[in-house]
């Protein structure tokens, strides 16, 4: 018998902008070792008026989150190749 392992990682972040620190967008990702086609990244606009007023800032946050997801994918992949 062989032990088949799988790891799933959930990531969540919020783009918080403006002087009143409003959450404009919720970002999430799910990473798994079973099959990269099961990985997903999502964004949900929580406050459209805030998003529209701070698009440049929010888009920087979205790009930063995507880079974070890539880093975590690479860490997960290297962790699984070590085992």
């Amino acid at each position: 018998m062989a032990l088949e392992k799988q790891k799933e990682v959930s990531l969540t972040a919020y783009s918080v902008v403006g002087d009143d620190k409003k959450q404009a967008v919720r970002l999430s990702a799910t990473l798994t070792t079973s099959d990269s086609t099961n990985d997903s990244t999502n964004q949900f606009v929580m406050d459209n008026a805030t998003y529209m007023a701070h698009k440049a800032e929010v888009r920087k946050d979205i790009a930063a989150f995507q880079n974070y997801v890539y880093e975590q994918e690479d860490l997960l992949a290297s962790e699984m190749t070590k085992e």
Side-chain angles (χ1 to χ4, degrees):
M1 177 166 39
L3 177 64
E4 292 183 14
K5 296 186 285 183
Q6 176 180 327
K7 185 172 185 178
E8 185 173 294
V9 176
S10 295
L11 308 171
T12 305
Y14 295 89
S15 177
V16 179
V17 294
D19 293 335
D20 52 356
K21 303 292 184 195
K22 281 195 170 183
Q23 293 179 348
V25 174
R26 178 183 187 272
L27 305 158
S28 64
T30 302
L31 310 176
T32 181
T33 59
S34 68
D35 182 355
S36 63
T37 60
N38 290 332
D39 292 354
S40 66
T41 303
N42 299 294
Q43 63 186 46
F44 174 75
V45 176
M46 298 175 65
D47 183 329
N48 195 52
T50 300
Y51 171 76
M52 295 303 284
H54 300 277
K55 265 196 247 185
E57 289 174 75
V58 172
R59 289 177 179 171
K60 285 181 186 176
D61 287 345
I62 292 169
F65 181 74
Q66 186 59 61
N67 287 331
Y68 176 62
V69 170
Y70 292 146
E71 290 169 7
Q72 295 306 305
E73 283 177 334
D74 293 345
L75 285 171
L76 189 58
S78 69
E79 181 180 303
M80 293 312 292
T81 57
K82 289 178 184 176
E83 293 184 5

